[in-house]
Amino acid sequence: QVQLVESGGGVVQPGRSLRLSCVVSGFTFSSYGMHWVRQAPGKGLEWVAVVWYDGRIKYYADSVKGRFSISRDNSKNTVYLQMSSLRAEDTGVYYCATTGGPSGPMDVWGRGTTVIVSS
Amino acid sequence: NFMLTQPHSVSESPGKTVTISCTRSSGSIASHYVQWYQQRPGSAPTTVIYDNDQRPSGVPDRFSGSIDSSSNSASLTISGLKTEDEADYFCQSYDSNNSYVFGTGTKVTVL
C-alpha cells in the first residue's frame, strides 16, 4: 500500500538550516504532487509548500517564502523540504502528503517528523 | 486570501449526530472543493471527505459532507457517533493564488 516516511527532523538553533525528506512507496510517485504541511504544538494544520509532478512548479505559504525550498527526486521517490533561517515559530511536526491535482485533497499522509527550533 | 472558520469543539453522546461547519470568510465556498481530515490524538491526519461530498474507500457512510452557498459554508456530518470518532477535524480548500487554506479545526468529543 501507499506509504510515506518523513525524516530529518531534530533540534536546531534559530537562524540555522535543516533538510527534511519524505520517501514514498506503493504508488507511481512521479504522477502525483506532494505537499508539506506542518502543525505547531497544540495548534492546527498549516500548509507549507507543494511541488507538482515533474518538480518544475512549486508554491509556498507566505510564512515560509524565501526561506524554505521544496524539491523532489523522482528517481528516488523522495520529496525534500530545505528549511533555512529557521525561527522559533517554525517549530512543529512536519507532514508530507500526496495529491492528485491542484484543488484535490491531500490523499495520503506520512506520520510526520518533528522540528524544534530553540537556542 | 480567505479564512475557514470552524467551531472550536462539539460534543455528543454515542449514537447521536454531530455536524461541523466550515465557514469561508470571502469568496464563494463553491469556487473550489472542500476537503475534510480527521486527526486522532497522536496520529497523522487522514481524509474522511474529499471534493465536498465524496467518501474515500474505507470511510464509513456515517460520514457525509456538503456545501451551502447561502451560508457560504461546508459541513461535515457524523451520524451514529462512535467513541472512535473522537478526534480533531479540519476542513481545507484551495485558494486561486496557489495556496491551501485549512480550517481552524474542531475537537469532537464523544460523551
Side-chain angles (χ1 to χ4, degrees):
Chain A
Q1 76 268 22
V2 180
Q3 190 172 13
L4 289 72
V5 179
E6 302 94 336
S7 63
V11 181
V12 61
Q13 293 179 328
R16 304 298 290 265
S17 299
L18 203 61
R19 188 177 83 157
L20 306 182
S21 301
C22 168
V23 178
V24 178
S25 59
F27 74 113
T28 307
F29 178 71
S30 58
S31 297
Y32 288 83
M34 294 295 300
H35 289 279
W36 284 99
V37 175
R38 67 185 181 183
Q39 187 170 35
K43 301 296 184 182
L45 301 172
E46 180 189 14
W47 173 74
V48 173
V50 64
V51 59
W52 292 119
Y53 321 99
D54 61 2
R56 296 183 190 180
I57 298 175
K58 309 170 185 181
Y59 298 111
Y60 300 91
D62 288 342
S63 59
V64 305
K65 205 170 291 184
R67 299 188 301 122
F68 290 12
S69 177
I70 190 171
S71 62
R72 64 189 296 159
D73 184 339
N74 287 346
S75 69
K76 296 182 178 178
N77 281 12
T78 302
V79 61
Y80 304 98
L81 186 68
Q82 178 68 46
M83 305 185 295
S84 60
S85 302
L86 282 162
R87 305 167 181 169
E89 55 264 37
D90 296 319
T91 293
V93 178
Y94 284 71
Y95 300 99
C96 59
T98 66
T99 184
S103 62
M106 298 170 193
D107 301 290
V108 182
W109 298 61
R111 301 185 70 172
T113 187
T114 299
V115 173
I116 299 173
V117 183
S118 174
S119 54
Chain B
N1 288 15
F2 60 89
M3 295 186 299
L4 296 172
T5 301
Q6 302 177 230
H8 182 69
S9 63
V10 297
S11 56
E12 192 48 273
S13 303
K16 300 293 188 180
T17 297
V18 295
T19 297
I20 302 168
S21 61
C22 169
T23 302
R24 179 167 168 153
S25 62
S26 61
S28 172
I29 193 71
S31 60
H32 293 287
Y33 288 128
V34 176
Q35 329 293 344
W36 288 93
Y37 305 98
Q38 176 193 67
Q39 186 178 32
R40 293 191 173 110
S43 297
T46 61
T47 308
V48 290
I49 294 289
Y50 70 95
D51 294 355
N52 295 341
D53 57 7
Q54 302 299 301
R55 234 180 1 262
S57 60
V59 173
D61 60 5
R62 302 184 295 103
F63 289 82
S64 63
S66 64
I67 64 168
D68 180 0
S69 295
S70 65
S71 59
N72 213 34
S73 65
S75 293
L76 172 68
T77 297
I78 311 172
S79 58
L81 205 58
K82 298 185 175 184
T83 54
E84 67 204 46
D85 300 331
E86 192 159 283
D88 293 326
Y89 292 83
F90 297 91
C91 59
Q92 175 260 312
S93 192
Y94 170 70
D95 193 336
S96 299
N97 68 356
N98 297 308
S99 64
Y100 296 80
V101 179
F102 283 96
T104 50
T106 299
K107 181 178 180 61
V108 171
T109 301
V110 182
L111 300 171

